[in-house]
Amino acid sequence: MAKSTADPSSPVVYVIDDDHSVRAALEDLFASVGLRVRTFGSTREFLAHEREDAPGCLVLDVRMPGQSGMDFHRQMVALKIGLPVVFITGHGDIPMGVEAMKNGAIEFLAKPFRDQNLLDAIQHGIEKNRAQRREEDAAAELQARWMSLTPGEQDVTRLVVRGLLNKQIAAQLDLSEITVKVRRSHAMRKMQAQSLADLVRIIEKVRM
């Protein structure tokens, strides 16, 4: 594995290709535009490396000894690897490219390819990964708010978002209306909801 020296908070491009000369060329290319690079000779080597907490993109060779890039791409969801993928290959064909794109690849480039085409694909992948990370952070924040509610507050909230009135909730949970109002108020505050519609919208995202 080779490393570049740059801001550790900046995006990182991962390259998996069994050809050392290709890895070296891509490392120079990405470093020339200020991108941090991590290169690997196989998917096993990549998996043994701890990925960085930074936006990124994966450049993946299709044909490699052992596990192929295509097979690894299919496994990435199960492995919870959310990196956008740009395929590069010297042996690709149209059906292979179509399959890769159907599986969610950003781009499928046949060697030799124009450097700018690869850089454009990488930037697209990094921006997509940034958006994914923002969504994940927002979801984690909402989940943390939900978990800050007591079990009783969660019970009341579930019924509130179903449209039940305080009186109906009190009867269903065998509580006083005052208790329901207090728990409802606490839930609104903890979930940072400004209105019932706001609470419903937030809870839909939490998927409790």
Side-chain angles (χ1 to χ4, degrees):
M1 183 188 71
K3 292 185 177 181
S4 61
T5 56
D7 182 354
S9 65
S10 63
V12 57
V13 180
Y14 301 92
V15 178
I16 307 177
D17 195 308
D18 63 307
D19 189 326
H20 174 75
S21 63
V22 172
R23 297 200 303 273
L26 293 179
E27 187 174 8
D28 289 343
L29 173 64
F30 297 142
S32 72
V33 294
L35 288 170
R36 293 192 297 139
V37 190
R38 301 288 183 267
T39 61
F40 307 90
S42 67
T43 58
R44 176 178 296 181
E45 187 180 332
F46 170 78
L47 290 174
H49 172 72
E50 184 176 355
R51 288 177 297 283
E52 300 183 35
D53 184 16
C57 187
L58 173 62
V59 177
L60 186 57
D61 188 21
V62 171
R63 181 175 293 183
M64 293 182 287
Q67 187 179 36
S68 73
M70 296 291 282
D71 286 343
F72 182 66
H73 189 213
R74 295 188 194 96
Q75 291 185 358
M76 284 179 64
V77 173
L79 296 172
K80 297 183 179 179
I81 300 173
L83 289 170
V85 171
V86 175
F87 274 109
I88 56 174
T89 179
H91 308 279
D93 53 27
I94 292 177
M96 189 180 295
V98 170
E99 180 183 355
M101 301 303 284
K102 282 184 176 179
N103 289 333
I106 295 294
E107 186 58 274
F108 190 90
L109 298 173
K111 301 173 184 175
F113 46 77
R114 292 179 62 245
D115 289 350
Q116 191 58 52
N117 288 347
L118 178 58
L119 291 174
D120 289 346
I122 292 297
Q123 289 300 334
H124 175 51
I126 288 171
E127 289 307 314
K128 182 175 182 178
N129 190 233
R130 279 198 174 105
Q132 291 172 341
R133 291 167 61 86
R134 285 195 294 269
E135 289 179 2
E136 291 169 359
D137 289 346
E141 167 62 22
L142 292 182
Q143 189 62 38
R145 292 184 203 172
W146 172 252
M147 295 308 296
S148 73
L149 272 60
T150 66
E153 290 166 353
Q154 291 181 352
D155 289 342
V156 168
T157 302
R158 289 189 181 95
L159 298 179
V160 167
V161 299
R162 285 172 52 189
L164 273 67
L165 302 175
N166 289 342
K167 184 177 182 179
Q168 295 171 310
I169 296 172
Q172 187 159 332
L173 297 179
D174 195 21
L175 299 171
S176 68
E177 279 193 60
I178 293 178
T179 298
V180 171
K181 289 180 181 178
V182 169
R183 291 181 181 178
R184 179 173 181 160
S185 175
H186 288 174
M188 293 285 288
R189 176 178 52 80
K190 290 180 179 179
M191 297 304 293
Q192 300 180 23
Q194 303 302 315
S195 64
L196 175 57
D198 197 20
L199 181 65
V200 171
R201 179 183 59 78
I202 293 172
I203 294 302
E204 285 178 347
K205 292 181 178 179
V206 172
R207 296 176 182 174
M208 58 186 184

